[in-house]
Amino acid sequence: MLFPTPRRSNLTWRGCAAAGLLLCSSSFLNAQDIPLFNEDPGEWYTLGGDFGHTRYTPAAEITAENFTDMEVAWEWDGASFGAISGRSTPSLINGKLITVAGNKRYVVALDPKTGETLWSYREPDTPRAEYSMRADYGKGVGYANIDGKDVVYIVSPGFFLTALDADTGIPLEGFGKPVPIDGFPQSGIVDLLADLGHPYDPYEGIPLETGYITSSSPPIVVNDTIIVGNSAEQGYHQARIENVPGDILAYDARTGDFKWKFNVIPKPGEYGHETWENDAWEWTGDVSSWAPLSADPINNLVYIPTNSADY
């Protein structure tokens, strides 16, 4: 399925165990230096290495012949950051290893030669982050070069989008809007709940009787547009069939301005809405994109895997 780029797109949904979306990310703004397939042994820009999520590098220093001769150069222990799952894949960006760790989803930059911690960033505590079932599942960071500055992006367990200067770990000046919670920086953060269209409290989040949404994978930046996925409860731990839908959100990579939302469950008047019998579109949800996203920046597309609706 291929769609144009209105503020709110449309999708036919047929209930199944797994599905996916193919969306146009934005108008072309500025081609990034991230290849569709990784051809640079010195960089690892996305969770999967490149836009195609190939998890491949042409680096050839380690071979079958010398593998048994390798020795440990250094170890970095994420236990001090509360890391348990070990699910994060670091990005190698211009001489820095950048990753996330622990259920607070610290962002950490390391020297790849020595393992020295260069900087770390932690989002202030909120109840909406504390009850996240996906807190220690951050997996990695998103990346873009914005006007010559390397920027990394994460989505937190509390469902905030944060942009950080990759050299310093400082929230990006001029990005997002102030969050009305004590301790949050005045710049560099977008409250993603604000653009989902459901009543919420900035500190507490969406009332749990209404639904639940969080994040388990980093965003991806395609031609200056940040695409944000989401997750809900693990499929094998679903406690309810009523929930908020996992709508896809998009933001300007420079400013954090909201660009568009894709309704994973079509609203009245949208294509496919009539297939949701018994008014299920009003009360069911999920259809979350918990897994990492991939993209084709040349054709301005983002590929989004999803699970099914709650049932």
Side-chain angles (χ1 to χ4, degrees):
M1 294 172 287
L2 177 62
F3 298 95
T5 57
R7 181 182 177 91
R8 181 175 290 148
S9 306
N10 306 309
L11 170 69
T12 295
W13 176 258
R14 304 180 189 279
C16 57
L21 312 178
L22 172 59
L23 304 178
C24 292
S25 66
S26 68
S27 58
F28 288 99
L29 296 175
N30 181 36
Q32 292 182 74
D33 228 0
I34 304 177
L36 179 57
F37 304 112
N38 193 4
E39 299 174 352
D40 186 348
E43 303 293 336
W44 190 270
Y45 290 110
T46 72
L47 178 59
D50 50 32
F51 275 125
H53 203 76
T54 62
R55 302 185 181 185
Y56 168 80
T57 174
E61 292 183 37
I62 301 173
T63 67
E65 289 72 29
N66 66 22
F67 183 80
T68 56
D69 299 326
M70 293 178 62
E71 297 180 353
V72 175
W74 54 263
E75 294 183 16
W76 183 84
D77 189 349
S80 62
F81 293 91
I84 298 173
S85 71
R87 294 172 181 265
S88 177
T89 299
S91 290
L92 180 59
I93 300 170
N94 292 334
K96 293 183 182 64
L97 279 174
I98 303 179
T99 189
V100 294
N103 57 11
K104 304 293 185 183
R105 208 163 295 174
Y106 284 86
V107 191
V108 185
L110 309 171
D111 185 323
K113 294 182 179 179
T114 66
E116 176 188 1
T117 299
L118 302 175
W119 56 257
S120 66
Y121 170 84
R122 174 189 159 181
E123 179 180 288
D125 291 337
T126 56
R128 61 194 260 188
E130 290 296 326
Y131 63 62
S132 171
M133 292 182 65
R134 303 279 189 157
D136 195 31
Y137 288 64
K139 296 189 177 72
V141 301
Y143 162 76
N145 185 278
I146 304 298
D147 302 325
K149 180 188 294 293
D150 288 330
V151 180
V152 293
Y153 304 87
I154 70 151
V155 181
S156 70
F159 214 50
F160 293 95
L161 169 67
T162 299
L164 301 172
D165 185 318
D167 288 331
T168 64
I170 296 173
L172 192 64
E173 191 70 30
F175 183 93
K177 299 177 182 178
V179 175
I181 300 175
D182 289 344
F184 272 71
Q186 292 300 298
S187 186
I189 297 183
V190 171
D191 187 341
L192 298 171
L193 292 184
D195 299 310
L196 284 179
H198 307 285
Y200 78 102
D201 178 87
Y203 187 58
E204 301 286 344
I206 294 175
L208 289 179
E209 60 269 22
T210 300
Y212 167 88
I213 193 165
T214 184
S215 169
S216 62
S217 292
I220 193 169
V221 187
V222 187
N223 294 323
D224 286 3
T225 295
I226 310 165
I227 314 297
V228 178
N230 54 76
S231 60
E233 294 176 294
Q234 290 94 332
Y236 41 84
H237 284 157
Q238 285 185 3
R240 56 193 287 169
I241 59 175
E242 302 85 2
N243 204 354
V244 296
D247 296 333
I248 309 302
L249 302 172
Y251 297 86
D252 185 281
R254 288 183 174 83
T255 65
D257 290 344
F258 177 59
K259 298 185 76 170
W260 52 260
K261 178 168 80 80
F262 182 93
N263 292 327
V264 294
I265 297 178
K267 299 290 181 67
E270 295 180 346
Y271 182 74
H273 170 74
E274 70 284 354
T275 67
W276 290 77
E277 299 177 353
N278 302 317
D279 291 327
W281 65 274
E282 287 189 294
W283 47 263
T284 194
D286 204 341
V287 195
S288 61
S289 49
W290 57 269
L293 311 182
S294 59
D296 177 353
I298 297 173
N299 291 301
N300 211 38
L301 302 173
V302 60
Y303 298 86
I304 304 171
T306 69
N307 61 356
S308 65
D310 291 330
Y311 57 90

